[in-house]
Amino acid sequence: MNTTGWIVLIVVVVVVIIAIIAIALTVGRRRKQEHDREHAQELREAAREDDLAAREREAAASRAAADAKQAEVDAERRRREAEAHAAEAGEARAAVDEKLSRADKVDPDVRTDRDGNRIDDGRGSANDRAASDRAAADGADRGYDDRADDAVREPRHAEPRIDAGGPGGAGTTGDTDVPPPRPAR
């Protein structure tokens, strides 16, 4: 073979090698692009799911805020109702006090001062004693004596009973012997 044959052969081999390299690069690039497309699609799906979850959390937060606002409105309404009831109770109490004051003025057994306030001389009327006896009888059922004349009242038990197995555990004061609180007058 002559030199021209060798040159042609070398050129053909180089061209074939370059073609193989070009084909390999093109196929590799296409595979990478396809992989990147699949990865981008997966990222988009994840983003859609995250967006849906975020919107659900925003809706839940909005519902919670609306519930809190409704609770505030309800509390304000109940507060106003309580104030109205308290005002009505105050008016009823004032009416009762006025009636009692008028009754005291009319009753010859009740001594009052110039302003119509009752002066208690310790005797009291028969009606007052009967009412006191009824209140004491009611109070005895609840565990306290309302008939005592002194201002400081001793509880039924001067010292509480110590229960070893009470609700609070060993060595705690049992609340079974403690009288209930006195009702407000």
Side-chain angles (χ1 to χ4, degrees):
M1 217 162 74
N2 61 19
T3 52
T4 328
W6 281 106
I7 292 177
V8 171
L9 182 64
I10 291 174
V11 170
V12 169
V13 170
V14 169
V15 169
V16 169
I17 291 175
I18 290 175
I20 291 173
I21 291 174
I23 291 171
L25 287 176
T26 304
V27 169
R29 195 174 313 134
R30 284 186 186 153
R31 284 185 183 162
K32 184 176 183 326
Q33 286 177 347
E34 187 61 33
H35 180 294
D36 289 347
R37 281 188 190 100
E38 290 173 6
H39 185 65
Q41 186 64 26
E42 290 171 4
L43 290 175
R44 285 186 188 98
E45 284 294 322
R48 280 190 215 116
E49 290 175 12
D50 291 346
D51 180 53
L52 180 61
R55 284 189 282 160
E56 287 175 350
R57 285 190 294 270
E58 289 169 351
S62 295
R63 280 191 302 272
D67 290 345
K69 188 67 173 174
Q70 183 63 42
E72 289 175 6
V73 168
D74 291 343
E76 177 65 20
R77 181 179 40 80
R78 288 188 195 117
R79 185 187 61 76
R80 289 182 183 176
E81 287 175 0
E83 288 174 354
H85 289 305
E88 290 173 6
E91 291 170 2
R93 173 56 53 197
V96 167
D97 289 344
E98 177 62 30
K99 286 179 183 177
L100 289 174
S101 177
R102 279 187 278 155
D104 287 347
K105 287 179 185 176
V106 172
D107 191 352
D109 294 333
V110 176
R111 293 179 43 201
T112 58
D113 61 10
R114 289 184 216 159
D115 298 325
N117 296 325
R118 206 177 238 209
I119 299 172
D120 190 15
D121 60 1
R123 293 181 308 174
S125 69
N127 290 338
D128 292 340
R129 285 192 298 272
S132 175
D133 290 343
R134 280 193 307 274
D138 290 342
D141 294 340
R142 291 189 203 109
Y144 56 86
D145 186 2
D146 204 20
R147 291 177 289 187
D149 290 333
D150 57 348
V152 178
R153 292 190 170 93
E154 291 292 323
R156 283 193 307 164
H157 302 287
E159 294 188 22
R161 192 176 94 204
I162 306 298
D163 288 339
T172 61
T173 304
D175 61 338
T176 57
D177 288 337
V178 178
R182 297 189 60 219
R185 289 189 168 203

